[in-house]
C-alpha cells in the first residue's frame, strides 16, 4: 500500500489554516462590539465600520489565488466581511447594556 503523504500533508495544512481563519473571524466578531461600546452610539459605530470595510473591499485590488480569480476573490472577501460584520452587529446589543 502506498500512502501519499504529500496529499495528506496538504489536507492537514488546509484544515489547520481553516481552523486559524475561523478562530480569527470569531475573535474579530467579538472585538468589534467591544470596541463599539466605547462610542457614544455603538450601533452607529458598527454601521460606519461596516460601510468603510465594505467600501474598502470593493475598491481593493485582489490577486488571483489558485483557481480563484481576482473578481471571485473580491466577492468572497466581501461575503466574509458581511458575515463577520453581521455577527458583530448582532453582538453589539449585548455590550450596550
Amino acid at each position: 500500500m502506498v500512502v501519499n503523504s504529500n496529499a495528506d500533508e496538504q489536507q492537514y495544512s488546509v484544515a489547520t489554516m481553516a481552523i486559524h481563519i475561523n478562530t480569527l473571524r470569531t475573535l474579530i466578531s467579538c472585538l468589534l462590539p467591544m470596541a463599539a461600546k466605547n462610542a457614544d452610539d455603538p450601533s452607529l459605530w458598527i454601521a460606519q465600520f461596516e460601510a468603510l470595510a465594505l467600501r474598502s473591499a470593493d475598491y481593493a485590488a485582489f490577486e488571483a489565488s489558485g483557481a480563484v480569480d481576482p473578481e471571485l476573490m473580491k466577492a468572497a472577501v466581501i461575503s466574509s466581511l458581511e458575515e463577520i460584520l453581521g455577527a458583530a452587529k448582532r453582538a453589539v446589543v449585548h455590550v450596550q447594556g
Side-chain angles (χ1 to χ4, degrees), residues 51-88:
L52 178 61
L54 293 174
R55 197 172 309 118
S56 296
D58 193 38
Y59 290 110
F62 294 97
E63 293 186 23
S65 178
V68 180
D69 68 34
E71 286 303 312
L72 183 56
M73 181 65 74
K74 179 180 285 196
V77 167
I78 290 172
S79 177
S80 183
L81 282 171
E82 288 171 342
E83 184 179 328
I84 291 168
L85 293 163

Side-chain angles (χ1 to χ4, degrees), residues 15-89:
T16 301
M17 188 172 13
I19 291 167
H20 292 306
I21 289 168
N22 286 323
T23 300
L24 290 172
R25 289 169 53 125
T26 302
L27 288 173
I28 290 168
S29 295
C30 295
L31 288 171
L32 287 174
M34 296 303 291
K37 78 177 187 176
N38 294 315
D40 291 334
D41 184 346
S43 294
L44 177 62
W45 187 92
I46 287 282
Q48 290 172 335
F49 187 91
E50 177 181 36
L52 178 61
L54 293 174
R55 197 172 309 118
S56 296
D58 193 38
Y59 290 110
F62 294 97
E63 293 186 23
S65 178
V68 180
D69 68 34
E71 286 303 312
L72 183 56
M73 181 65 74
K74 179 180 285 196
V77 167
I78 290 172
S79 177
S80 183
L81 282 171
E82 288 171 342
E83 184 179 328
I84 291 168
L85 293 163
K89 288 189 323 190

